[in-house]
Amino acid sequence: MGLPNAIGDLSTEVEVEAFRRLFPLRFYEKHLSESIRPDARPLGRARDTTIALGAVASANGSALAKIGSTTMLAAIKMEVMTPSMETPDEGCIAIDFHMPPICSPIVRPGRPAEAAPVVSKQLSDTILSSGMINLKELSLVSGKAAWMAYLDIYCLDADGALFDTALLSAVAAFSHLDIPEVSLNDDGKIVLLSEEQEGMSDRESVNKEKRKVTLSSVPFSLTCILHKNYILADPTAEEESIMETLVTVVLDSSSQLVSLYKPGGPVLAYTSAIQDCIALTRQRAKELQKILDEAISGMEVD
Amino acid sequence: MEVDREDGRTQNQLRPLACSRNILHRAHGSASWSQGDTKVLAAVYGPKAGTKKNENPEKACIEVIWKPKTGQTGKQEKEYEMILKRTLLSICILTVNPNTTTSIIIQVVNDDGALLPSAINAACLALVDAGIPMKHLAIAICCVAKSGYVILDPTKLEEQQKMKAFAYLVFPNSVHSVLPEGSLSVQGEPIEHGIITSVTHGTMSVDDYFYCLDRGRAASVKLSDFLRRSLQQHSTDSSKAG
């Protein structure tokens, strides 16, 4: 990796790798002043993104999302539950985010990662408040039975932009979700119709038409770093540790703001910076929508 | 546009504010903050020697412990702890006491909406009370956006039921400084217009968010004056007052 225009007294003498480790901030600032990042990206460009649907065969819906080397595996299990008294005709979504020790050197075995509950809370806030899934669709028999969707997201490699990748994998898993067919038995209880029985069973399926959830407005997010006047889209873990001001913008398909999340950080965000972040997110949301559509149409061909 | 609020307030009206400092004997600094029926206690212990693992020992470290009114610490509390920690890290001068940890304990006494902003304001007061070096204060406010208009400082009921989306915003307080005028503005915007922290819930249009920002900034000036006045009343040493 070359350092463009190495100026300064030390940088000419020290090897690039050593300079990077000793003066990480100056190393980055030298790149930023040339409008480039050490991994050869321009400041506003996100890393390569891939989605693989159906990564977990035993789950009802699953997806593996990768942004750069950040990897998340999301899987949904559907279970029948009795809906609560307040919302008799609504299902429920339980979201959990796991960071096992394999994902990052910062996470130690035995001790849960600090970031995990925070990302988990952020995810459930975003998914539930965006109205992506109409909980009424998860109802089976009003007041008696409804679907409980357990969404578990495992972080396999944490290299920055955890929330973005987690949200993308969650959205992809929901778009891949196949709701299992169920029927009422003689006692009025819900039973799964397994595939072998399908032909033989004379029982009527209760949800023949409702095998897919409709995603009404899909939320997409982009995390940016604010550093001085620079805005860096989709940071890596190294960038996040050096420049600490993060702004996460979540927009849905109709460009409504679902969340604008800036938890502190040494740099103050002014209106212009916020506008730039939102503009970058708009662009990114279009990219992500395209990638997701391609992944879904790829599944249909198979 | 006129908005009817349950408690008869106008849309820009805050609930009655009250705060007091130095209310706990054992803590190095403490404060209580209430707006309406929301009340939060904050205690500061430190700076204590040493930093935790994975923290930079060249700087002071801040630890936040959030105690809910009832029940155990869950995900919500963990998120509040993280937001509060990062917000306070950005306003404290961390290089004065390197390799130390300051603990801030937040006890929720009553939650009637705008809980996180109240806790941020309480924590700021407690940090001033403990004499922790700070650049400026943080002023936190909650705004609710609803199709074109904004109401400030909502109650729990307004947060949960009536409204779709709300934003917690934190701004720096207006600084009385000895520095020359120009040094306190960035790209023509005064420093108190910068956002330290922004947390939103629910969907709103982008324009509504910017409207929230405007309203929040205007209200933060009032809050900032209230904080400054109450700090000056309490302390004989007025230089302490941010």
Side-chain angles (χ1 to χ4, degrees), chain A residues 95-96 106 108 117-118 120-122 125 129-130 229 252 255-266 268-272 274-275 278 282, chain B residues 53-54 75-76 78-79 82-83 85-87 90 172 186-187 189-191 193-206 209-210 217:
Chain A
I95 299 165
D96 219 347
I106 303 168
R108 308 276 306 175
V118 179
S120 177
K121 181 76 187 32
Q122 241 182 305
D125 276 351
S129 73
S130 70
N229 291 330
D252 68 10
S255 272
Q256 290 270 43
L257 189 71
V258 179
S259 159
L260 198 144
Y261 190 76
K262 176 183 188 285
L268 298 174
Y270 292 93
T271 313
S272 57
I274 295 284
Q275 272 163 343
I278 293 177
R282 270 207 191 107
Chain B
K53 214 175 169 184
N54 291 333
K75 280 182 194 164
Q76 178 75 70
K78 288 272 176 222
E79 192 194 15
M82 197 275 293
I83 295 168
K85 179 183 163 183
R86 297 231 190 139
T87 304
S90 72
V186 181
Q187 298 164 355
E189 280 196 274
I191 176 167
H193 279 194
I195 306 162
I196 302 180
T197 297
S198 157
V199 180
T200 67
H201 289 261
T203 42
M204 59 175 103
S205 70
V206 174
Y209 179 76
F210 284 111
R217 275 172 193 147

Side-chain angles (χ1 to χ4, degrees), chain B residues 117 141-145 150-154 165-169 171 204 211-213 215-217 219:
Chain B
I141 183 111
C142 181
C143 311
V144 175
V150 169
I151 63 171
L152 295 176
D153 191 20
F166 59 96
Y168 296 140
L169 301 166
F171 302 102
M204 59 175 103
Y211 193 41
C212 270
L213 276 185
R215 284 307 159 105
R217 275 172 193 147

Side-chain angles (χ1 to χ4, degrees), chain A residues 136-184:
Chain A
K136 292 208 162 62
E137 272 186 29
L138 296 178
S139 174
L140 286 165
V141 183
S142 179
K144 291 270 165 50
W147 287 112
M148 176 90 179
Y150 290 97
L151 168 61
D152 284 274
I153 299 166
Y154 289 85
C155 177
L156 304 180
D157 191 348
D159 189 20
L162 296 185
F163 176 76
D164 298 355
T165 323
L167 184 64
L168 183 64
S169 70
V171 167
F174 271 115
S175 64
H176 174 252
L177 178 64
D178 268 323
I179 299 177
E181 238 178 302
V182 288
S183 70
L184 280 172

Side-chain angles (χ1 to χ4, degrees), chain A residues 2-297:
Chain A
L3 188 68
N5 296 342
I7 348 154
D9 36 343
L10 260 170
S11 51
T12 46
E13 292 159 31
V14 186
E15 275 178 54
V16 175
E17 258 324 291
F19 185 72
R20 182 179 195 159
R21 284 180 172 271
L22 287 170
F23 307 103
L25 191 58
R26 276 177 61 192
F27 176 79
Y28 266 92
E29 278 178 350
K30 271 191 180 157
H31 281 83
L32 295 183
S33 62
E34 305 282 332
S35 297
I36 192 92
R37 289 151 79 171
D39 53 5
R41 276 188 289 162
L43 302 194
R45 181 170 311 157
R47 291 169 287 175
D48 288 342
T49 307
T50 55
I51 299 173
L53 296 176
V56 184
S58 62
N60 300 114
S62 62
L64 184 84
K66 275 184 83 136
I67 297 180
S69 51
T70 305
T71 313
M72 301 275 178
L73 182 65
I76 303 171
K77 275 263 187 191
M78 303 294 280
E79 268 180 30
V80 178
M81 57 132 194
T82 321
S84 69
M85 296 291 276
E86 297 98 59
T87 52
D89 52 356
E90 282 185 11
C92 196
I93 303 171
I95 299 165
D96 219 347
F97 177 71
H98 308 267
M99 284 180 80
I102 50 158
C103 76
S104 157
I106 303 168
V107 186
R108 308 276 306 175
R111 258 180 269 169
E114 270 181 27
V118 179
V119 176
S120 177
K121 181 76 187 32
Q122 241 182 305
L123 270 176
S124 40
D125 276 351
T126 306
I127 291 176
L128 297 178
S129 73
S130 70
M132 172 174 77
I133 287 158
N134 185 356
L135 292 176
K136 292 208 162 62
E137 272 186 29
L138 296 178
S139 174
L140 286 165
V141 183
S142 179
K144 291 270 165 50
W147 287 112
M148 176 90 179
Y150 290 97
L151 168 61
D152 284 274
I153 299 166
Y154 289 85
C155 177
L156 304 180
D157 191 348
D159 189 20
L162 296 185
F163 176 76
D164 298 355
T165 323
L167 184 64
L168 183 64
S169 70
V171 167
F174 271 115
S175 64
H176 174 252
L177 178 64
D178 268 323
I179 299 177
E181 238 178 302
V182 288
S183 70
L184 280 172
N185 72 0
D186 304 337
D187 309 332
K189 284 199 174 145
I190 295 279
V191 282
L192 280 182
L193 272 182
S194 58
E195 273 170 36
E196 306 92 69
Q197 290 176 335
E198 221 160 275
M200 311 182 308
S201 162
D202 50 350
R203 288 195 197 110
E204 200 56 26
S205 138
V206 248
N207 61 340
K208 202 155 228 167
E209 277 90 54
K210 290 194 285 183
R211 299 289 306 281
K212 282 271 180 193
V213 284
T214 35
L215 305 183
S216 39
S217 59
V218 185
F220 290 111
S221 76
L222 179 68
T223 301
C224 295
I225 282 186
L226 301 184
H227 180 70
K228 294 189 175 158
N229 291 330
Y230 304 112
I231 298 176
L232 287 79
D234 186 27
T236 61
E238 189 189 4
E239 288 165 340
E240 279 182 6
S241 69
I242 295 165
M243 296 165 282
E244 289 167 337
T245 315
L246 295 168
V247 180
T248 303
V249 183
V250 186
L251 294 174
D252 68 10
S253 335
S254 48
S255 272
Q256 290 270 43
L257 189 71
V258 179
S259 159
L260 198 144
Y261 190 76
K262 176 183 188 285
V267 181
L268 298 174
Y270 292 93
T271 313
S272 57
I274 295 284
Q275 272 163 343
D276 291 349
C277 287
I278 293 177
L280 280 172
T281 311
R282 270 207 191 107
Q283 235 173 53
R284 176 72 174 154
K286 278 189 201 124
E287 268 173 53
L288 289 175
Q289 180 75 57
K290 209 172 138 216
I291 293 168
L292 184 63
D293 288 345
E294 272 166 18
I296 294 170
S297 60

